[in-house]
Amino acid sequence: MRVLVQADGGSRGNPGPAGYGAVVLDADTGATLAERKAAIGIDTNNVAEYQGLIAGLAAARELGATDVDVQMDSKLVVEQMSGRWQVKHPSMRPLARQAAELAAGFDRIRFEWIPRARNGHADRLANEAMDAAAMPAAPVGSAREPVGSARAEPVQEQLPANNLGAWVPPQAVPTRLLLVRHGVTEYSVAKRFAGRSDLELTEAGREQARRAAGRVAELGPVDVLISSPLRRTRQTADQLADQLELPVLIEDGMVETDFGDWDGYTYAEVSQKWPAELQRWLADPSVAPPSGESFETVTRRVRQARDRILAQHGGKTVVVVSHVSPIKTLVRLALDAPASALQRMFLEPASISVIDYYADGPVSLRSFNDTAHLGALAD
């Protein structure tokens, strides 16, 4: 996979309120694949520029890129990363080392200096982050630690993120994701693993979908309707499409986990037939079911799909009809919770969860597993 990373960073005062921005583009089409930006407190231009590079390289790695072109308007960073200039300042060496370690993970990478006029996307993201950095912080928590220190790491999980040491209130209209799980199928009634099996809704599931559509309509105007490609989600999305008068867009990245050989079996049956494999799967998110997909792979896929949705529909309200694993993964990422949190959430069929993504503030989980609209139909 070939991508273009453009990154920038700056501070207002040098040192002053600082922030970075990075964007990952499809090298062939120019489509935006991911954006990263964050306020990093009081720091220098050079530190912010390196943080932007690190965030962009990390995003490219998450997307599975192997061939990377990096463009920046920082001559210093480009020359140092190309090996033509030495990294002399002690505070810069840990950042340069972190960037070099990320760069070494690609099959091929090239660094190019470009004028600021050609780096407008990353420059805009960096300025938005600096706006957030310049806001007065609420009097809670401790002061920000300078990001140039050896212990500091860039915030990459949230999109975008504030330094957690000093919270500032969001100042923009969020991109709101209304996450709707599909209605019940024969597998969900029987408590069977249902991954890529293309199941239809039961009659109860269709009624659940109708009620979920009515509830979503009550939550406010919706701009975009997206669905996983599987039949049970598309049938649920069709009910929403009728209610909202919107077309259904398909997002393959929001499909359910591939449970491989376990698909169609109950938990008890899997524990009898594959006891050792099940225990390894429960203990380690990098372990996949036989012929299936690990939760690490699911997380990477869902994060990429989330980034595409946020980039394409920023500032809008988007309904995403999906499955247990993708929805719980989005919630886990929003809360910056460990992978083990997936096993500690329960998500009802046709439930609704709401996450807000702010352009200048943190991600906010507004509600989770809302089933009030289902009444006696709740599973």
Side-chain angles (χ1 to χ4, degrees), residues 132 135-136 160 162 167-175 356-364 366:
M135 289 180 180
N162 293 316
W167 181 83
V168 293
Q171 298 294 313
V173 175
T175 304
D356 284 349
Y357 298 84
Y358 288 91
D360 62 351
V363 180
S364 177
R366 300 297 298 267

Side-chain angles (χ1 to χ4, degrees), residues 54-74:
I54 290 167
L57 293 178
R61 184 176 66 178
E62 292 170 2
L63 289 166
T66 56
D67 190 334
V68 180
D69 287 293
V70 178
Q71 295 180 337
M72 300 182 67
D73 58 64
S74 169

Side-chain angles (χ1 to χ4, degrees), residues 149-160:
S149 67
R151 291 178 295 165
E153 295 181 356
V155 178
Q156 297 170 4
E157 190 54 55
Q158 296 174 331
L159 180 67

Side-chain angles (χ1 to χ4, degrees), residues 45 50-51 56 60 62 67 91 173 194 217 232 241 251 266-267 307 311 320 328 345:
N45 287 332
Y50 260 109
Q51 293 283 24
E62 292 170 2
D67 190 334
S91 68
V173 175
R232 56 192 183 270
E251 172 52 71
T266 66
Y267 183 90
D307 289 351
V320 179
K328 291 202 297 187
M345 296 183 236

Side-chain angles (χ1 to χ4, degrees), residues 315-350:
K316 296 181 179 179
T317 296
V318 183
V319 173
V320 179
V321 184
S322 188
H323 310 262
V324 170
S325 298
I327 294 174
K328 291 202 297 187
T329 296
L330 288 169
V331 171
R332 180 181 78 78
L333 294 176
L335 297 176
D336 198 21
S340 60
L342 290 175
Q343 310 293 345
R344 302 182 182 185
M345 296 183 236
F346 187 82
L347 199 69
E348 297 271 10

Side-chain angles (χ1 to χ4, degrees), residues 45-116:
N45 287 332
N46 291 340
V47 166
E49 288 163 346
Y50 260 109
Q51 293 283 24
L53 171 62
I54 290 167
L57 293 178
R61 184 176 66 178
E62 292 170 2
L63 289 166
T66 56
D67 190 334
V68 180
D69 287 293
V70 178
Q71 295 180 337
M72 300 182 67
D73 58 64
S74 169
K75 187 76 169 177
L76 174 76
V77 175
V78 168
E79 292 299 312
Q80 288 179 341
M81 291 303 300
S82 300
R84 291 186 288 269
W85 291 3
Q86 293 183 351
V87 183
K88 296 182 179 180
H89 199 288
S91 68
M92 304 297 295
R93 288 173 185 159
L95 296 172
R97 184 164 51 249
Q98 186 177 355
E101 290 172 353
L102 285 166
F106 302 108
D107 293 345
R108 192 163 72 107
I109 187 168
R110 293 159 303 282
F111 293 89
E112 178 189 4
W113 176 86
I114 58 172
R116 183 170 296 274

Side-chain angles (χ1 to χ4, degrees), residues 1-6 22-35 56 59-60 63 65 67-69 71 118-119 121-122 311:
M1 179 182 183
R2 183 166 169 261
V3 302
L4 171 63
V5 173
Q6 294 183 330
V23 59
V24 183
L25 306 171
D26 186 296
D28 296 319
T29 67
T32 299
L33 303 178
E35 292 181 333
L63 289 166
D67 190 334
V68 180
D69 287 293
Q71 295 180 337
R118 289 179 54 197
N119 203 26
H121 194 152

